Amino acid sequence: MEQRAAEIRKGGGEERIEREHEREKLTARERVEYLLDDPTQFAELGLFAGYEMYEEEGGCPAGGTVMGLGPVSGRECLVVANDATVKAGAWFPITAKKNLRAQEIAMENHVPIIYLVDSAGVFLPMQDEIFPDKDDFGRIFRNNARMSSMGIPQIAAIMGSCVAGGAYLPIMSDEAVIVEGTGSVFLAGPYLVKAAIGEDVEAEELGGATTHSEISGVTDYEAEDDEEALDIVRSLVDHQGPVERFGYVRKESAEPAYPADELYGLYPSQGSEQYEMREILARILDADSWTEYKQGYGRTLLTGYARLDGWNVGVVANQRAVVRNKTNHQSQGEIQVGGVIYSDAADKAARFILNCNQKEIPILFFQDVTGFMVGKRAEHGGIIKDGAKMVNAVANSTVPKLTVVVGNSYGAGNYAMCGRAYDPRLVLAWPTAKIAVMGGQQASKVLKQIKVRQLEKKGEELSEAEEEELLSRIQDRYETQTTPYYAAARLWVDAIIDPVDTRSWLSKGLDMVDHNPELERFNPGVIQT
């Protein structure tokens, strides 16, 4: 993971980095580092966006954008910086998706957002995938307007090109800084102006710093270089009003009972093996803070109250050890497979989520789930009804939710355990995560049978060796699509993290969610009973 991340951080490569320096510009990562109070506190989101995508176009490392949370003038901010070393900062489809995710985080959590703009605009060969739809490029400017209405601070520094529709992003922000000589903003560049109306004009005269700071009044501040522009941004953050918080309960922090680096040995090398989830939690949560809810019931899910770095939280976690569910006083109990959600576990989790909303406590979800129980006994017992109850509780829950994908995240289990579709404020994944509609072995066998039947209808028959080769090919493709890198490339998760950093990431997330002083009233609607 770290090796792949280091390669991505090079952006467009050393040659293009040097070209930016020759133009007396900082790179996107250098700008972020200069802006932050402490660069080591930067929590980068979407680093793997675009990973192994658009290879025919030369790739798009990190989606052509550096994005994350970090302190600026003592205030937690979300920073979004175009990487001009990647196709001159042009917008690929994943770039738009990543910027929309940044705005979503800012809007949900009321954190200020800072745009460091340096982009050639939409990547024209893929304009049909970026431009027209609801969640495409134009949604960004709609969000600019909505955030302004919500009172969420937006500051933009124009540090390079800012063209066409992209020109609206910095100018719809509360305040805009432009860098002399390198910053430019216009609806149409010199070539398009020439083509449209026959006028010859240089970029600096058309939309440079002097034009917009002294003639048009479009920008608010002018800077001589990148460093001065970033100094102005820091000053603007320093002059913001009071930080309103919700006030989620936080008491004195206590270290976990055991060292975090033991997580490496506790999680099995093969994700299908058993392990005790309580041992994982004991290396993330504050020592002696765990109060388990319904410990003896619905044992394939763990639910309980705890503290994480002092924050009061509810925890819903898949138990991967095989357990026994007691059915009467005489029997030892029915064996239940770890990682599977049974009716009793779904019922317990739904009730616990209601409790957390009643008490206004954020919820942490730890996913290692292969799905809901199937088969005649499960169906007769109403597994769909109980699963629907849990999904309803998760969907309608209004307290902040944060999700960590530890291992498997399959099918409806992904939904019930607060996957991306259920609006967690952050989705983090360990390198061991696997996200798919079902496990690779089961899926590939189903897909193989479908393919064999299609060939049989055409009068073709496969030998046993050909069937095995087909199965292997399908498995390889399916396994690739279940990796955390495939998920992170498409922003199904916000970050792939080192397991030992789970606690610090969640603590930052809990501090982030506390910036939103509002909480919608909880109303679960019709609950299946």
Coordinates of all heavy atoms in Angstrom, one line a residue, residues 354-426:
L354 N -31.2 2.5 17.1 CA -32.3 3.4 17.6 C -31.8 4.1 18.9 O -32.0 5.3 19.2 CB -33.6 2.6 17.9 CG -34.2 1.9 16.7 CD1 -35.5 1.3 17.1 CD2 -34.5 2.9 15.5
N355 N -31.2 3.3 19.8 CA -30.7 3.8 21.1 C -29.7 4.9 20.9 O -29.7 5.9 21.6 CB -30.1 2.7 21.9 CG -31.1 1.7 22.5 OD1 -32.3 1.9 22.4 ND2 -30.6 0.7 23.3
C356 N -28.7 4.7 19.9 CA -27.7 5.7 19.7 C -28.3 7.0 19.2 O -27.9 8.1 19.6 CB -26.7 5.2 18.7 SG -25.6 3.9 19.4
N357 N -29.3 6.9 18.4 CA -30.0 8.1 17.9 C -30.8 8.8 19.0 O -30.8 10.0 19.1 CB -31.0 7.8 16.7 CG -30.2 7.7 15.4 OD1 -30.1 8.7 14.7 ND2 -29.7 6.5 15.1
Q358 N -31.4 8.0 19.9 CA -32.1 8.6 21.0 C -31.1 9.3 21.9 O -31.5 10.4 22.5 CB -32.8 7.4 21.8 CG -33.6 7.9 23.0 CD -35.0 8.2 22.6 OE1 -35.3 8.5 21.4 NE2 -35.9 8.3 23.6
K359 N -29.9 8.8 22.1 CA -28.9 9.4 23.0 C -28.0 10.4 22.3 O -27.2 11.1 22.9 CB -28.0 8.3 23.6 CG -28.8 7.3 24.5 CD -27.8 6.3 25.0 CE -28.5 5.3 25.9 NZ -27.6 4.3 26.5
E360 N -28.2 10.6 20.9 CA -27.3 11.5 20.1 C -25.9 11.1 20.3 O -25.0 11.9 20.6 CB -27.6 12.9 20.5 CG -29.1 13.3 20.2 CD -29.4 14.8 20.5 OE1 -28.6 15.4 21.3 OE2 -30.4 15.3 20.0
I361 N -25.6 9.9 19.9 CA -24.2 9.3 20.0 C -23.8 8.9 18.6 O -24.5 8.1 17.9 CB -24.1 8.1 20.9 CG1 -24.5 8.5 22.3 CG2 -22.7 7.5 20.9 CD1 -24.7 7.2 23.2
P362 N -22.6 9.4 18.1 CA -22.1 8.9 16.8 C -21.9 7.4 16.8 O -21.6 6.8 17.8 CB -20.8 9.7 16.6 CG -20.9 10.9 17.5 CD -21.7 10.4 18.7
I363 N -22.0 6.8 15.6 CA -21.9 5.3 15.5 C -20.7 5.0 14.6 O -20.5 5.5 13.5 CB -23.2 4.7 14.9 CG1 -24.4 5.1 15.7 CG2 -23.1 3.2 14.9 CD1 -25.7 4.7 15.1
L364 N -19.9 4.0 15.1 CA -18.8 3.5 14.3 C -19.1 2.1 13.8 O -19.6 1.3 14.6 CB -17.5 3.4 15.1 CG -17.0 4.7 15.9 CD1 -15.8 4.4 16.7 CD2 -16.9 5.8 14.9
F365 N -19.0 1.8 12.5 CA -19.3 0.5 12.0 C -17.9 -0.1 11.5 O -17.1 0.5 10.8 CB -20.2 0.6 10.7 CG -21.6 1.0 11.0 CD1 -21.9 2.3 11.2 CD2 -22.6 0.0 11.2 CE1 -23.2 2.7 11.5 CE2 -23.9 0.4 11.5 CZ -24.2 1.7 11.6
F366 N -17.7 -1.4 12.0 CA -16.5 -2.1 11.6 C -17.0 -3.3 10.8 O -17.6 -4.2 11.3 CB -15.7 -2.6 12.8 CG -15.1 -1.5 13.5 CD1 -15.7 -0.8 14.5 CD2 -13.8 -1.1 13.3 CE1 -15.1 0.3 15.2 CE2 -13.1 -0.1 13.9 CZ -13.8 0.6 14.9
Q367 N -16.7 -3.3 9.5 CA -17.3 -4.3 8.5 C -16.3 -5.4 8.3 O -15.2 -5.2 7.9 CB -17.6 -3.6 7.2 CG -18.7 -2.7 7.1 CD -19.0 -2.3 5.6 OE1 -18.5 -2.9 4.7 NE2 -19.9 -1.4 5.4
D368 N -16.8 -6.6 8.5 CA -16.2 -7.8 7.9 C -17.3 -8.8 7.8 O -17.5 -9.7 8.5 CB -15.1 -8.4 8.8 CG -14.2 -9.4 8.1 OD1 -14.6 -9.9 7.0 OD2 -13.1 -9.7 8.6
V369 N -18.1 -8.6 6.7 CA -19.4 -9.2 6.6 C -19.5 -10.0 5.2 O -19.2 -9.4 4.2 CB -20.6 -8.2 6.8 CG1 -20.5 -7.1 5.8 CG2 -21.9 -8.9 6.7
T370 N -20.0 -11.2 5.3 CA -20.2 -12.0 4.0 C -21.6 -11.9 3.6 O -21.9 -12.4 2.5 CB -19.7 -13.4 4.2 OG1 -20.4 -14.0 5.4 CG2 -18.2 -13.5 4.4
G371 N -22.5 -11.3 4.4 CA -23.9 -11.2 4.0 C -24.8 -11.6 5.1 O -24.5 -11.9 6.2
F372 N -26.1 -11.7 4.7 CA -27.2 -12.2 5.6 C -27.3 -13.7 5.4 O -27.0 -14.2 4.4 CB -28.5 -11.5 5.3 CG -28.6 -10.1 5.8 CD1 -28.2 -9.0 5.0 CD2 -29.2 -9.9 7.0 CE1 -28.3 -7.7 5.5 CE2 -29.3 -8.6 7.5 CZ -28.8 -7.5 6.7
M373 N -27.8 -14.4 6.5 CA -27.9 -15.8 6.4 C -29.0 -16.2 5.3 O -30.0 -15.5 5.2 CB -28.3 -16.4 7.8 CG -28.3 -17.9 7.8 SD -26.7 -18.5 7.4 CE -27.1 -20.3 7.2
V374 N -28.7 -17.3 4.6 CA -29.7 -17.7 3.6 C -30.1 -19.1 3.9 O -29.6 -19.8 4.8 CB -29.0 -17.7 2.2 CG1 -28.7 -16.2 1.8 CG2 -27.8 -18.5 2.1
G375 N -31.1 -19.6 3.1 CA -31.6 -21.0 3.3 C -33.0 -21.0 3.8 O -33.5 -20.0 4.3
K376 N -33.6 -22.2 3.8 CA -35.0 -22.4 4.2 C -35.3 -21.9 5.6 O -36.2 -21.2 5.9 CB -35.4 -23.9 4.0 CG -36.9 -24.1 4.3 CD -37.3 -25.5 3.9 CE -36.8 -26.5 5.0 NZ -37.3 -27.9 4.7
R377 N -34.4 -22.3 6.5 CA -34.6 -22.0 7.9 C -34.6 -20.5 8.1 O -35.4 -19.9 8.9 CB -33.6 -22.7 8.8 CG -33.8 -22.4 10.3 CD -33.0 -23.4 11.1 NE -33.2 -23.1 12.5 CZ -32.7 -23.8 13.5 NH1 -31.9 -24.9 13.2 NH2 -32.9 -23.6 14.8
A378 N -33.6 -19.8 7.5 CA -33.5 -18.4 7.6 C -34.7 -17.7 7.0 O -35.2 -16.7 7.6 CB -32.2 -17.9 6.9
E379 N -35.1 -18.1 5.8 CA -36.3 -17.5 5.2 C -37.5 -17.7 6.0 O -38.3 -16.7 6.2 CB -36.5 -18.0 3.8 CG -35.3 -17.8 2.8 CD -35.1 -16.4 2.5 OE1 -35.8 -15.5 2.9 OE2 -34.1 -16.1 1.7
H380 N -37.7 -18.9 6.5 CA -38.9 -19.1 7.4 C -38.9 -18.3 8.6 O -39.9 -18.0 9.2 CB -39.0 -20.6 7.7 CG -39.4 -21.4 6.5 ND1 -39.7 -22.8 6.6 CD2 -39.5 -21.1 5.2 CE1 -40.0 -23.3 5.4 NE2 -39.9 -22.3 4.5
G381 N -37.7 -18.0 9.1 CA -37.6 -17.2 10.3 C -37.7 -15.7 10.1 O -37.6 -14.9 11.0
G382 N -37.8 -15.3 8.8 CA -38.0 -13.9 8.5 C -36.8 -13.1 8.4 O -36.7 -11.9 8.8
I383 N -35.7 -13.7 7.8 CA -34.4 -12.9 7.7 C -34.6 -11.6 6.9 O -34.0 -10.6 7.2 CB -33.3 -13.8 7.1 CG1 -32.0 -13.1 7.1 CG2 -33.7 -14.3 5.7 CD1 -31.4 -12.8 8.4
I384 N -35.4 -11.7 5.8 CA -35.6 -10.5 5.0 C -36.3 -9.4 5.9 O -35.9 -8.2 5.8 CB -36.5 -10.8 3.8 CG1 -35.7 -11.7 2.8 CG2 -36.8 -9.5 3.0 CD1 -36.5 -12.2 1.6
K385 N -37.2 -9.7 6.7 CA -37.9 -8.8 7.6 C -36.9 -8.2 8.5 O -36.9 -6.9 8.7 CB -39.1 -9.5 8.3 CG -39.7 -8.7 9.5 CD -40.9 -9.4 10.0 CE -40.6 -10.8 10.6 NZ -39.8 -10.7 11.8
D386 N -36.1 -9.0 9.2 CA -35.2 -8.5 10.2 C -34.0 -7.7 9.5 O -33.6 -6.7 10.0 CB -34.6 -9.7 11.0 CG -35.7 -10.3 11.8 OD1 -36.4 -9.6 12.5 OD2 -35.8 -11.5 11.9
G387 N -33.6 -8.2 8.3 CA -32.6 -7.4 7.6 C -33.1 -6.0 7.2 O -32.4 -5.0 7.3
A388 N -34.4 -6.0 6.7 CA -35.0 -4.7 6.4 C -35.1 -3.8 7.5 O -34.9 -2.6 7.4 CB -36.4 -5.0 5.8
K389 N -35.3 -4.3 8.7 CA -35.4 -3.5 9.9 C -34.0 -2.9 10.2 O -34.0 -1.7 10.5 CB -35.8 -4.4 11.1 CG -36.0 -3.7 12.4 CD -36.2 -4.7 13.6 CE -37.2 -5.8 13.3 NZ -37.4 -6.7 14.4
M390 N -33.0 -3.6 10.1 CA -31.6 -3.1 10.3 C -31.3 -2.0 9.2 O -30.7 -1.0 9.5 CB -30.6 -4.2 10.3 CG -29.2 -3.7 10.6 SD -28.0 -5.1 10.7 CE -26.5 -4.2 10.9
V391 N -31.6 -2.4 8.0 CA -31.3 -1.4 6.9 C -32.1 -0.1 7.1 O -31.5 1.0 6.9 CB -31.6 -2.0 5.5 CG1 -31.6 -1.0 4.4 CG2 -30.6 -3.2 5.2
N392 N -33.3 -0.2 7.5 CA -34.1 1.0 7.8 C -33.5 1.8 8.9 O -33.3 3.1 8.7 CB -35.5 0.5 8.2 CG -36.5 1.7 8.5 OD1 -36.1 2.7 9.2 ND2 -37.7 1.7 8.0
A393 N -33.0 1.2 9.9 CA -32.4 1.9 11.1 C -31.2 2.6 10.6 O -30.9 3.8 11.0 CB -32.1 1.0 12.2
V394 N -30.3 2.0 9.8 CA -29.1 2.6 9.3 C -29.4 3.7 8.4 O -28.8 4.8 8.4 CB -28.2 1.5 8.6 CG1 -27.0 2.2 7.9 CG2 -27.7 0.5 9.6
A395 N -30.4 3.5 7.5 CA -30.7 4.5 6.5 C -31.3 5.8 7.1 O -31.0 6.9 6.6 CB -31.7 3.9 5.5
N396 N -32.1 5.6 8.1 CA -32.8 6.8 8.7 C -32.0 7.4 9.9 O -32.4 8.4 10.4 CB -34.2 6.4 9.2 CG -35.2 6.3 8.0 OD1 -35.3 7.3 7.2 ND2 -35.8 5.2 7.8
S397 N -31.0 6.7 10.3 CA -30.1 7.2 11.4 C -29.6 8.6 11.1 O -29.1 8.8 10.0 CB -29.0 6.3 11.7 OG -28.1 6.8 12.6
T398 N -29.7 9.5 12.0 CA -29.3 10.9 11.7 C -28.0 11.3 12.4 O -27.4 12.3 12.1 CB -30.4 11.9 12.0 OG1 -30.7 11.8 13.4 CG2 -31.6 11.7 11.2
V399 N -27.6 10.5 13.4 CA -26.3 10.8 14.1 C -25.2 10.5 13.1 O -25.4 9.6 12.2 CB -26.2 10.0 15.4 CG1 -27.2 10.4 16.4 CG2 -26.2 8.5 15.2
P400 N -24.1 11.1 13.3 CA -22.9 10.8 12.3 C -22.5 9.4 12.4 O -22.5 8.8 13.4 CB -21.8 11.8 12.8 CG -22.5 12.8 13.6 CD -23.7 12.2 14.2
K401 N -22.2 8.8 11.2 CA -21.8 7.4 11.1 C -20.4 7.4 10.4 O -20.2 8.1 9.4 CB -22.8 6.6 10.3 CG -24.2 6.7 10.8 CD -25.2 5.8 10.0 CE -25.5 6.4 8.6 NZ -26.4 7.5 8.5
L402 N -19.5 6.6 10.9 CA -18.2 6.4 10.3 C -18.0 4.9 10.1 O -18.2 4.2 11.0 CB -17.1 7.1 11.1 CG -17.1 8.6 11.3 CD1 -17.9 9.0 12.5 CD2 -15.7 9.1 11.4
T403 N -17.5 4.5 8.9 CA -17.3 3.1 8.6 C -15.9 2.7 8.3 O -15.2 3.5 7.6 CB -18.2 2.8 7.4 OG1 -19.6 3.1 7.7 CG2 -18.1 1.4 7.0
V404 N -15.5 1.6 8.9 CA -14.2 1.0 8.6 C -14.4 -0.4 8.0 O -15.0 -1.2 8.6 CB -13.3 0.9 9.9 CG1 -11.9 0.4 9.5 CG2 -13.2 2.2 10.6
V405 N -13.9 -0.5 6.8 CA -14.0 -1.9 6.1 C -12.7 -2.6 6.5 O -11.7 -2.4 5.9 CB -14.2 -1.7 4.6 CG1 -14.5 -3.1 4.0 CG2 -15.4 -0.8 4.2
V406 N -12.9 -3.5 7.4 CA -11.7 -4.3 7.9 C -11.4 -5.4 7.0 O -10.2 -5.7 6.6 CB -12.0 -4.8 9.3 CG1 -10.9 -5.8 9.8 CG2 -12.2 -3.6 10.3
G407 N -12.4 -6.1 6.5 CA -12.2 -7.3 5.7 C -13.3 -7.4 4.6 O -13.4 -6.5 3.8
N408 N -14.1 -8.4 4.6 CA -15.2 -8.6 3.6 C -16.3 -7.6 3.8 O -16.6 -7.1 4.9 CB -15.8 -10.0 3.7 CG -14.7 -11.1 3.6 OD1 -13.9 -11.0 2.7 ND2 -14.8 -12.1 4.4
S409 N -16.8 -7.2 2.6 CA -18.0 -6.3 2.6 C -18.8 -6.7 1.4 O -18.8 -6.1 0.3 CB -17.5 -4.8 2.5 OG -18.6 -3.9 2.5
Y410 N -19.7 -7.7 1.6 CA -20.4 -8.3 0.5 C -21.9 -8.1 0.6 O -22.5 -8.1 1.7 CB -20.1 -9.9 0.6 CG -18.7 -10.3 0.3 CD1 -18.2 -11.5 0.8 CD2 -17.9 -9.5 -0.5 CE1 -16.9 -11.9 0.5 CE2 -16.5 -9.9 -0.8 CZ -16.1 -11.1 -0.3 OH -14.8 -11.5 -0.6
G411 N -22.4 -7.9 -0.6 CA -23.9 -7.8 -0.8 C -24.6 -6.9 0.2 O -24.2 -5.8 0.5
A412 N -25.8 -7.4 0.6 CA -26.6 -6.5 1.5 C -25.9 -6.3 2.8 O -26.3 -5.4 3.5 CB -28.0 -7.2 1.7
G413 N -24.9 -7.1 3.2 CA -24.2 -6.8 4.4 C -23.5 -5.5 4.3 O -23.4 -4.8 5.3
N414 N -23.0 -5.1 3.1 CA -22.4 -3.8 2.9 C -23.4 -2.7 3.2 O -23.1 -1.7 3.9 CB -21.9 -3.7 1.5 CG -21.5 -2.3 1.1 OD1 -22.3 -1.4 0.8 ND2 -20.2 -2.0 1.1
Y415 N -24.6 -2.9 2.8 CA -25.7 -1.9 3.1 C -26.0 -1.8 4.6 O -26.0 -0.7 5.2 CB -26.9 -2.2 2.3 CG -26.8 -2.4 0.8 CD1 -27.6 -3.2 0.1 CD2 -25.7 -1.8 0.1 CE1 -27.5 -3.4 -1.3 CE2 -25.6 -2.0 -1.2 CZ -26.4 -2.8 -1.9 OH -26.3 -3.0 -3.3
A416 N -26.3 -2.9 5.2 CA -26.7 -3.0 6.6 C -25.6 -2.4 7.5 O -25.9 -1.8 8.5 CB -27.1 -4.4 7.0
M417 N -24.3 -2.6 7.1 CA -23.2 -2.1 7.9 C -22.7 -0.8 7.5 O -21.6 -0.4 7.7 CB -22.1 -3.2 7.9 CG -22.4 -4.5 8.6 SD -22.7 -4.3 10.4 CE -21.1 -3.8 10.9
C418 N -23.6 0.0 6.8 CA -23.3 1.4 6.5 C -22.2 1.6 5.5 O -21.2 2.3 5.7 CB -23.0 2.2 7.8 SG -23.3 4.0 7.5
G419 N -22.4 0.9 4.3 CA -21.6 1.2 3.2 C -21.8 2.6 2.6 O -22.6 3.3 3.1
R420 N -21.1 2.9 1.5 CA -21.1 4.2 0.9 C -22.5 4.7 0.6 O -22.8 5.9 0.8 CB -20.3 4.2 -0.4 CG -20.5 5.4 -1.3 CD -20.0 6.7 -0.6 NE -18.6 6.8 -0.8 CZ -17.8 7.4 0.1 NH1 -18.3 7.9 1.2 NH2 -16.5 7.6 -0.2
A421 N -23.5 3.8 0.2 CA -24.8 4.2 -0.2 C -25.6 4.8 1.0 O -26.7 5.3 0.8 CB -25.5 3.1 -0.8
Y422 N -25.1 4.6 2.3 CA -25.9 4.9 3.5 C -25.3 6.2 4.2 O -25.5 6.4 5.4 CB -26.0 3.7 4.4 CG -27.0 2.7 3.7 CD1 -26.6 1.9 2.7 CD2 -28.3 2.7 4.1 CE1 -27.5 1.1 2.0 CE2 -29.2 1.9 3.4 CZ -28.8 1.1 2.4 OH -29.7 0.3 1.7
D423 N -24.6 7.0 3.4 CA -24.1 8.3 3.9 C -23.2 8.3 5.2 O -23.4 9.1 6.0 CB -25.3 9.2 4.1 CG -26.0 9.5 2.8 OD1 -25.3 9.6 1.7 OD2 -27.2 9.7 2.8
P424 N -22.3 7.4 5.3 CA -21.3 7.6 6.4 C -20.5 8.8 6.1 O -20.2 9.1 4.9 CB -20.4 6.3 6.3 CG -20.6 5.8 4.9 CD -21.9 6.2 4.4
R425 N -20.1 9.5 7.1 CA -19.3 10.8 7.0 C -17.9 10.4 6.4 O -17.4 11.2 5.7 CB -19.2 11.5 8.3 CG -20.6 11.9 8.9 CD -21.3 13.0 8.2 NE -22.6 13.3 8.9 CZ -22.7 14.2 9.8 NH1 -21.6 15.0 10.1 NH2 -23.9 14.5 10.3
L426 N -17.4 9.3 6.8 CA -16.1 8.8 6.2 C -16.2 7.3 6.0 O -16.9 6.6 6.8 CB -15.0 9.1 7.2 CG -14.3 10.4 7.2 CD1 -13.2 10.4 8.2 CD2 -13.8 10.8 5.8

